[in-house]
Amino acid sequence: MAFESFGDFLHMGGYAFYVWLSYGVGLTSLFGMLWLFQAGHKKQRKDIVGFIKREKLIAEQQANNT
């Protein structure tokens, strides 16, 4: 599809609202998924570090009790 001017490109043959809305929804969804992935990854790392610390503390307590 060829456009004669930049204004025609932005107008998208009368379908600009639907075209640009779909781009906006798509990009918002992608960035939202990226944000959720990063937040979940941080929480999981924090949980793993806490688990390792608890296991180490339990092992130390068991070693001191024997």
Side-chain angles (χ1 to χ4, degrees):
M1 181 176 238
F3 300 102
E4 293 184 18
S5 69
F6 187 68
D8 287 341
F9 171 72
L10 292 177
H11 187 57
M12 289 286 172
Y15 296 101
F17 176 75
Y18 305 107
V19 171
W20 297 118
L21 182 64
S22 66
Y23 274 107
V25 168
L27 288 175
T28 301
S29 298
L30 288 174
F31 284 122
M33 286 188 291
L34 179 63
W35 179 77
L36 287 173
F37 171 76
Q38 288 178 338
H41 182 72
K42 277 185 179 179
K43 184 185 180 313
Q44 191 172 26
R45 285 181 58 103
K46 184 179 175 184
D47 290 347
I48 290 171
V49 168
F51 176 77
I52 292 170
K53 285 181 181 179
R54 283 190 301 275
E55 290 294 316
K56 190 175 185 180
L57 181 63
I58 290 170
E60 288 174 0
Q61 288 176 349
Q62 288 176 346
N64 290 337
N65 288 339
T66 55

